[in-house]
Amino acid sequence: MRSCLTAGAPLPIVPLVTTLYAPAPELPVYDFRRPTTLAREHSRVLELAFETFARQWATQLTAKVRVLSQVTCDSVAMQTYDEYAASLPATTAMVLCELEGLAPKGVIQFPTVAALSWVNAMLGGSGVPVSEERTFTQIEHALVRKLMDDALEDLRYSLGSILATTITVDAIQYNSQFAQAAATSELMIVAGFQLRVGESTAPATLALPASVLLPQLGETNPTSSTENARELVDAQLARVPVDVSLRLTPAVVKPSVVLGLAVGDLLPLPHPQHRPFDLAVGGHPVAGAALGSSGSRLACVVVKTED
């Protein structure tokens, strides 16, 4: 290659291109044996159940607190207990619910200031929310526990057969980091709610072990074995509705005869008088039948069958 530079000419400036490679992001390990997302079919069933619970809970709060209340279900998701606990405020009311025969517990969580305003209204106060986060006194603890007992009754009614075990209030904790309701890797069905009692609004959550609810929801995409495929096809075909007709032997005529038909004309048919009618299914003859009656309706009597 010949150089194009001449004497005294400045050297050309060649830009230096440097390619920077960003470090590869660290990807979390996914355990396919324990998926952390809900199937669409399961999510829809749980959403309907928790919406029913929200309506029942609102009715119960209105009756007990004597203040117009409204509860709405915002979300339903599946999380590990560690993720759920990390999303809660450090100080909050956590009602631990014992499930019969199971180690992990359910949780109903709401701010303590909201519960204190409910107690204030139940005792004849104005129900104005307090500004301080504190634990409950013995009287407040007893009243809140009674409210939770009634809420669990509504929960059992709303979930129905999905909740196959007995659930009862076990204890009330106030620190989300120390309240070990389940193992950190335990999968939980977490429902988020918005509580509106009077003029105050507060978030609330309900967490139940996934191992308690998912078995009652069934498989997401059930499959059938192909070993007895022929029997399955035969059983399905046997339930398919078909058209059955009773007909004479068809006659062959010219279009001019059809166009010239008038009322009173006779059209001879080649079907003999002694021969049974053809019983056809889907246009194919399968048997021979004679004309009869069944009560006030016409019927046919099968006199022979085709091979």
Side-chain angles (χ1 to χ4, degrees), residues 32 111 280 305:
F32 286 93
T305 57

Side-chain angles (χ1 to χ4, degrees), residues 126-199:
S126 59
V128 177
V130 297
S131 58
E132 61 174 339
E133 291 276 0
R134 62 174 178 83
T135 60
F136 303 147
T137 64
Q138 290 184 354
I139 295 178
E140 292 166 349
H141 185 281
L143 292 174
V144 172
R145 187 183 180 104
K146 176 58 179 171
L147 286 176
M148 292 301 101
D149 288 336
D150 295 336
L152 291 183
E153 288 291 338
D154 295 331
L155 181 64
R156 283 190 290 267
Y157 167 79
S158 302
L159 293 180
S161 60
I162 301 177
L163 184 60
T165 184
T166 303
I167 182 170
T168 56
V169 174
D170 179 44
I172 300 179
Q173 299 288 340
Y174 304 98
N175 192 310
S176 59
Q177 303 305 315
F178 295 136
Q180 292 297 326
T184 56
S185 60
E186 183 75 29
L187 292 178
M188 308 290 286
I189 305 296
V190 181
F193 299 91
Q194 283 293 329
L195 305 177
R196 184 177 182 86
V197 181
E199 298 299 326

